[in-house]
Amino acid sequence: MEQKFAGEGLREWESPLYLEALHQFDRVAELIGLDENIAERLRVPQRSIVVTFPYRKDDYSDVESLFGYRVQHLLTMGPTKGGIRYAPDVNLGEVAALAMLMTWKCAIVGLPFGGAKGGVRVDPLALSRSETQRVTRRYTAEIINFIGPNKDIPAPDMGTDEQVMAWIMDTYSQQVGHSEPAVVTGKPPALGGSVARREATGRGLVSLLPMAAQQAGMDLDGACVSVHGFGNVGRYAALAAQQLGTRVVAISDISGGVHNGKGLDVEDAMAYVDKHRTLEGFTGGGDRITNAELLTIDCDVLMPCATGGVVTGDNAGDIKAKIIMEGANGPTTLAADEILNERGVLVVPDILANAGGVTVSYFEWVQDLQNYFWSESEIVGRLREIMSRAFDEVLSVATKHETDLRTAALIRGIRKVADAKLARGVFP
Ligand code: GLU
């Protein structure tokens, strides 16, 4: 087929994560014989917004400029949906890759959204609360024409939280002249945020563990779990894993990790982090370890819940876990995936495993639009139902195609999107 624009244009988004996402997509597109015109459209995001903007530091005379991004991968399915991350190395390519993954994620769990992702290149730990507020409000002002309850609905991601969502909601509402809670999800409940949103990604992840264990022939009672990352995903995943009867033997965050073969008390660790901001100095009756050590420590289940690209070709051969549940987005590189598949490690991929967050975000958006709020038990029950149905569906694709769960999840997500694109046709 004749070369389309995308091959050339790819330079715009080029980054290691984007190339990996593209490689996965191309492989599956070929496997399912995807229409080439549709494949060409899906390889690149529909909208990429890059902004630069100033904010005042707490020393009022000091003004700093920042880069901000918002990428909307696909506008076919409904509004776009995805988090906003604040991190020192965020770039357009990373955000574009994550927006593409959000498209597949939403399709796999059957949400009426295309994928999006945003980011500001800034170290959130280096900002004071008032600086974070000014950065957030100005970034929101810069992208305000592209977001909205029917356009694009941001949510928390790495380095952002409920408070950041509240400031986005307030900035947007000030501009449109009325309160508009449905413009973001992951807000504080006082502003129309959903109860159980904060715990949703971790809980959703662990809700799939019994099904994964059944596949791997593993008895979960007393099974050892290590959790890489103790932020919004990792801490609630660890807690849910403990409540399920497993032993959480290792946890870690930016300050390093801790290992206790007898099991750590997750609630103790959470209380410690609430007080001290990180796990630095926490031992939980065990030993301090590095993040690298945590990934290859003796355990049955590994949950990478921190950031992308941590399970690599270099450490995949040393991983002891028999099941990997991907709480983070893109934690496993392509090279690692091949090694893990060969070694028979069951990897429950990010686009399925961590979809609980965006699923409860969807509930929050629906509740905000209707001004009718559900009980926690309704939310948790519906989350479980959606997650387990998605797992079953992905598993049956995997069985049919004799393939791994990541490939199967991609097949399912890409097919759904392709069907919708074919049905809508080309405008004009
Ligand atoms: N940032 C989360 C994710 O990557 C949640 C997105 C959302 O709730 O919209 O799935």
Side-chain angles (χ1 to χ4, degrees), residues 53-59 62-68 84-90 119-139 158-161 163-164 167 254 277:
F53 59 91
Y55 77 99
R56 277 190 199 281
K57 307 273 280 183
D58 285 341
D59 168 4
D62 201 359
V63 174
E64 199 167 82
S65 271
L66 296 175
F67 278 86
I84 288 174
R85 56 173 56 180
Y86 289 176
D89 52 356
V90 168
V120 176
R121 194 185 301 158
V122 68
D123 179 359
L125 293 176
L127 295 177
S128 69
R129 183 182 157 89
S130 56
E131 287 169 343
T132 307
Q133 176 166 184
R134 287 194 290 278
V135 166
T136 301
R137 288 187 182 279
R138 181 61 190 253
Y139 167 67
M158 273 167 52
T160 58
D161 57 14
Q163 179 59 72
V164 169
W167 288 324
I254 194 163
R277 235 178 154 181

Side-chain angles (χ1 to χ4, degrees), residues 182-243:
V183 66
V184 284
T185 58
K187 299 175 293 293
L191 292 179
S194 174
V195 286
R197 170 64 185 88
R198 197 188 295 167
E199 300 88 344
T201 312
R203 269 191 189 161
L205 184 81
V206 173
S207 76
L208 298 183
L209 186 54
M211 286 178 269
Q214 196 183 2
Q215 280 309 301
M218 181 190 290
D219 181 4
L220 278 183
D221 197 24
C224 297
V225 175
S226 20
V227 184
H228 182 252
F230 207 63
N232 191 42
V233 181
R235 53 159 56 194
Y236 293 110
L239 189 62
Q242 184 176 280
Q243 286 163 350

Side-chain angles (χ1 to χ4, degrees), residues 70 81-85 98 102 105-106 113 116-117 153-158 185-186 197 201 327 329 354-362:
R70 185 73 183 167
K81 186 89 193 77
I84 288 174
R85 56 173 56 180
L98 295 166
M102 282 307 298
K105 193 187 299 186
C106 291
F113 299 130
K117 191 71 84 177
I153 308 131
D157 199 86
M158 273 167 52
T185 58
R197 170 64 185 88
T201 312
N329 288 314
N354 71 28
V358 72
T359 301
V360 175
S361 274
Y362 164 61

Side-chain angles (χ1 to χ4, degrees), residues 25-46:
F25 171 75
D26 285 343
R27 193 171 51 80
V28 171
E30 201 182 318
L31 197 73
I32 61 175
L34 185 65
D35 178 292
E36 285 187 38
N37 291 311
I38 289 182
E40 205 58 30
R41 292 295 304 132
L42 293 174
R43 297 179 90 235
V44 289
Q46 212 164 330

